[in-house]
Amino acid sequence: MRLTRCGHACVRLEQDGVVIVIDPGTYSDARALDGAHAVLVTHEHVDHFHEPVLRAAAEARPGLRFWANRSVAEQLGGLGGDRVTVVGDGDAFDIEGIGVEAHGELHAVVHPDLPRVTNVGFLVGEGDTTVFHPGDAFTVPARPVDTLLLPVHGPWSKTGEIIDYAREIKPRRALSIHDGGLSESGNSLADHMLQACLRDMGADYQRVAAEAGIRLT
């Protein structure tokens, strides 16, 4: 499996010719959807879900399918057929031979005055090659995670919480996502703290630059 960062919270996963894109939002590289077979959307916030871009991609690629929570699926209404599938916590499905599980229910709390939206994380892969994208939440899947896509910055978190979350999951590898709100110096500081705090548990943390790729197997 190969992972490519496509800006902020968006990643491409490629395995055996199958391309799965997770959370292509307004901060993402539009090319993330080129040749995609499937799109997974964790929640409806614009940095994870950009409806016009997804509709354009669906029109250009009739075989493109989408999996998301009900709120996102309703916004993609009208695409026709079974192209949009509603999923929630505990659901499992298959994309061209690649197993996917949905985990989690709600976005992390930003502030008590702001309503929480539905958030579904996606665990992609099987065996020793699993990748978990939690969206904007600290969801802990019920089974081991090999590669954790770690949201390093958001209005709903602080660095200490992110460190504790990674320690609870205990992945073999943690890769940065959700860093679009940080400057280069801010990213460097986050990298330093995460590397130092995760090293003692044997987790390899690294920041993957936008448009850069990494082989997971």
Side-chain angles (χ1 to χ4, degrees):
M1 182 181 290
R2 181 175 179 80
L3 178 147
T4 303
R5 278 290 309 276
C6 299
H8 192 55
C10 180
V11 299
R12 278 173 63 102
L13 299 174
E14 301 178 55
Q15 180 174 307
D16 299 329
V18 179
V19 178
I20 300 172
V21 180
I22 307 177
D23 280 5
T26 53
Y27 301 159
S28 307
D29 186 337
R31 293 173 294 179
L33 293 164
D34 290 351
H37 297 85
V39 176
L40 310 179
V41 181
T42 64
H43 65 287
E44 63 195 75
H45 289 162
V46 295
D47 55 332
H48 296 255
F49 168 56
H50 193 195
E51 180 189 347
V53 169
L54 295 191
R55 285 191 177 277
E59 182 177 347
R61 191 173 178 86
L64 183 62
R65 293 189 61 195
F66 304 85
W67 282 262
N69 64 56
R70 186 168 302 281
S71 176
V72 171
E74 288 175 351
Q75 294 182 59
L76 290 174
L79 292 183
D82 60 351
R83 300 187 67 181
V84 182
T85 301
V86 176
V87 293
D89 183 47
D91 288 339
F93 52 98
D94 182 275
I95 299 174
E96 302 288 336
I98 300 174
V100 183
E101 298 175 3
H103 294 271
E105 297 179 347
L106 290 171
H107 192 288
V109 175
V110 178
H111 188 275
D113 290 348
L114 297 174
R116 297 174 73 183
V117 300
T118 302
N119 182 97
V120 179
F122 293 102
L123 184 70
V124 181
E126 298 173 347
D128 295 332
T129 307
T130 56
V131 179
F132 184 57
H133 191 311
D136 285 1
F138 292 130
T139 302
V140 179
R143 66 184 184 91
V145 172
D146 179 59
T147 299
L148 171 64
L149 303 182
L150 189 61
V152 301
H153 174 264
W156 46 273
S157 68
K158 60 183 182 182
T159 303
E161 293 173 326
I162 295 164
I163 292 168
D164 288 343
Y165 176 55
R167 284 178 167 173
E168 185 174 4
I169 287 193
K170 298 180 177 63
R172 180 173 65 88
R173 176 196 292 116
L175 303 177
S176 65
I177 60 167
H178 213 283
D179 53 9
L182 291 176
S183 65
E184 185 61 31
S185 58
N187 266 308
S188 295
L189 178 59
D191 291 344
H192 173 74
M193 290 187 287
L194 288 164
Q195 287 168 350
C197 291
L198 299 185
R199 187 181 301 118
D200 63 352
M201 57 171 276
D204 173 34
Y205 167 81
Q206 58 183 297
R207 176 156 51 111
V208 182
E211 299 184 28
I214 182 171
R215 188 164 295 282
L216 304 181
T217 55

